[in-house]
């Protein structure tokens, strides 16, 4: 079967939320649980800084890779490039730079104190380095 890569979809988080909802409903989860899981998945779109504690934690977990040691961060960046291999280099670089710059523009990348303490400085260093800042 020849399928478009999931990342080619502009709504992969929404698709994941729908899928999780179906699985949870089939397992008999309460509607409030289905909605909460969906909301948490959608928080990983990174289109805003979360204010709800559970979403803050999920987003911080999702972003923790940005604060990894240099070698792991570079490996992650290479993995992201492979994942978006269908995107031409110039478009990929511009899009990736915009995403990373949006994180640098935040007062803090991480919403929770433990993640800020552990990852904030290194995340900013990693991002600045790949952006050539």
């Amino acid at each position: 079967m020849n399928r478009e890569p999931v990342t080619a979809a502009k709504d992969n988080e929404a698709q994941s939320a729908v899928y999780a909802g179906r699985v949870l409903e089939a397992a008999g989860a309460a509607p409030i649980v289905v909605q909460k899981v969906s909301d948490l998945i959608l928080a990983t779109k990174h289109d805003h800084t979360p204010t709800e504690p559970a979403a803050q934690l999920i987003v911080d977990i999702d972003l923790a890779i940005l604060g990894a040691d240099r070698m792991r961060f570079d490996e992650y960046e290479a993995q992201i490039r492979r994942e978006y291999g269908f995107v031409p280099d110039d478009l990929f670089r511009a899009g990736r730079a915009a995403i990373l710059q949006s994180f640098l523009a935040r007062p803090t990348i991480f919403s929770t104190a433990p993640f800020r303490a552990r990852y904030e400085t290194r995340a900013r260093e990693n991002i600045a380095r790949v952006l050539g800042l």
Side-chain angles (χ1 to χ4, degrees):
M1 173 174 14
N2 191 5
R3 292 185 49 197
E4 176 181 345
V6 173
T7 52
K10 295 196 183 322
D11 65 344
N12 58 354
E13 291 90 355
Q15 289 180 41
S16 293
V18 168
Y19 177 73
R22 287 183 187 142
V23 170
L24 288 167
E25 287 170 355
I32 193 166
V33 171
V34 174
Q35 184 61 55
K36 184 65 171 179
V37 169
S38 176
D39 291 346
L40 292 173
I41 292 169
L42 292 173
T44 65
K45 288 173 50 176
H46 305 294
D47 56 356
H48 68 283
T49 303
T51 56
E52 196 269 324
Q56 289 176 331
L57 180 59
I58 290 295
V59 168
D60 280 1
I61 291 167
D62 194 44
L63 295 178
I65 188 67
L66 299 176
D69 67 70
R70 182 180 181 138
M71 191 165 72
R72 177 61 186 111
F73 178 81
D74 290 349
E75 177 184 36
Y76 166 73
E77 285 295 301
Q79 290 168 334
I80 292 292
R81 182 61 189 115
R82 282 192 302 276
E83 184 177 354
Y84 287 88
F86 58 92
V87 178
D89 284 340
D90 56 337
L91 292 176
F92 176 81
R93 281 192 300 273
R96 187 68 181 151
I99 291 167
L100 293 174
Q101 287 170 339
S102 75
F103 292 130
L104 285 182
R106 295 178 179 185
T108 61
I109 295 170
F110 299 96
S111 296
T112 63
F115 277 79
R116 270 194 311 275
R118 183 167 182 179
Y119 298 112
E120 186 78 25
T121 300
R122 188 175 292 144
R124 289 185 175 279
E125 291 168 356
N126 282 333
I127 293 170
R129 181 174 50 81
V130 298
L131 292 175
L133 303 176

